[in-house]
Amino acid sequence: EADIYQTPRYLVIGTGKKITLECSQTMGHDKMYWYQQDPGMELHLIHYSYGVNSTEKGDLSSESTVSRIRTEHFPLTLESARPSHTSQYLCASSGPTTNEKLFFGSGTQLSVL
Amino acid sequence: AQSVTQPDIHITVSEGASLELRCNYSYGATPYLFWYVQSPGQGLQLLLKYFSGDTLVQGIKGFEAEFKRSQSSFNLRKPSVHWSDAAEYFCAVGARGGGNKLTFGTGTQLKVEL
């Protein structure tokens, strides 16, 4: 059902590298989100966007940045990866109605050595 | 700010047995409430949601949940569990007027014994 895609599925990278996690959706949704998920912990909202050229930081402070140049694309970038960034990153999108359901991608498991 | 507590980290049930997963929320008004399920290697999928009206809501895959304002709870139930229900279940709350930003609980890992 979900038409939201994240790449790569897994990423193992060394400290100090710049990385970009890709997220694309084909549903035409204006609202998109990035959540960070650690084992045994709640999902934390780190970024969200309500449309092109609109980005906001979420509840959890993150050193990552996002951009929204096209409706369907919401990439997340880490300029200099550190071991503390090791986590699962989930991208989601939703339609225009308030508290409409979120469609989630399969996630990117990032490991920084 | 809203918060969600899922007191059970792990639950194991036998196939065919009934299931109840607990969820308590904290929010100053009537919240929007959701249950999502995450299978291994997959993203989260919405099971059901409560916005207003009937406090017993039906979802997909035979799940239901009941909103109890007096107990600040939104427990998920299923009368007969199937082996394919083994997954992690997340309760979430959304603030009215807060856009679609959700606050999630820590999740409950469900194991089903055959």
Side-chain angles (χ1 to χ4, degrees):
Chain A
E1 178 193 46
D3 296 309
I4 179 164
Y5 308 99
Q6 291 185 244
T7 57
R9 182 70 182 90
Y10 301 95
L11 180 61
V12 181
I13 201 162
T15 297
K17 300 291 186 182
K18 177 180 179 180
I19 61 168
T20 296
L21 308 184
E22 301 289 348
C23 176
S24 295
Q25 50 95 4
T26 60
M27 297 172 281
H29 287 164
D30 284 326
K31 298 179 181 178
M32 296 189 74
Y33 315 81
W34 277 102
Y35 282 87
Q36 186 173 337
Q37 181 184 25
D38 293 308
M41 306 290 288
E42 59 264 47
L43 280 73
H44 288 290
L45 180 67
I46 52 175
H47 298 284
Y48 62 98
S49 168
Y50 285 167
V52 171
N53 294 325
S54 156
T55 61
E56 301 286 345
K57 289 190 178 294
D59 303 322
L60 180 68
S61 176
S62 173
E63 294 169 346
S64 59
T65 60
V66 292
S67 62
R68 191 85 184 278
I69 299 173
R70 303 198 316 266
T71 298
E72 62 271 22
H73 195 213
F74 191 40
L76 181 146
T77 298
L78 278 165
E79 291 293 333
S80 179
R82 294 206 301 270
S84 60
H85 296 140
T86 294
S87 187
Q88 171 146 252
Y89 294 85
L90 291 170
C91 181
S93 71
S94 70
T97 307
T98 297
N99 278 302
E100 201 167 314
K101 78 173 190 179
L102 301 181
F103 290 87
F104 280 86
S106 298
T108 293
Q109 181 62 53
L110 173 65
S111 296
V112 183
L113 306 178
Chain B
Q2 63 266 30
S3 66
V4 176
T5 300
Q6 293 181 249
D8 304 306
I9 299 173
H10 299 279
I11 283 185
T12 299
V13 299
S14 299
E15 188 174 38
S18 63
L19 172 70
E20 182 169 32
L21 303 182
R22 296 183 292 166
C23 172
N24 293 96
Y25 69 89
S26 173
Y27 182 63
T30 301
Y32 297 122
L33 294 162
F34 305 80
W35 274 100
Y36 282 84
V37 60
Q38 184 179 31
S39 298
Q42 302 295 316
L44 280 72
Q45 180 186 19
L46 180 70
L47 283 176
L48 46 79
K49 61 185 178 184
Y50 171 78
F51 284 2
S52 64
D54 193 347
T55 57
L56 183 64
V57 294
Q58 304 296 322
I60 62 172
K61 305 183 180 184
F63 286 92
E64 66 177 26
E66 186 172 11
F67 170 57
K68 292 185 177 180
R69 184 191 307 274
S70 62
Q71 298 177 18
S72 298
S73 69
F74 189 57
N75 294 349
L76 182 71
R77 300 194 295 251
K78 187 171 185 178
S80 178
V81 170
H82 188 262
W83 64 266
S84 61
D85 292 325
E88 189 154 22
Y89 292 79
F90 291 90
C91 182
V93 61
R96 291 179 183 264
N100 288 24
K101 296 179 290 178
L102 300 184
T103 298
F104 285 84
T106 52
T108 297
Q109 186 69 48
L110 174 65
K111 180 180 176 182
V112 180
E113 291 182 332
L114 300 177

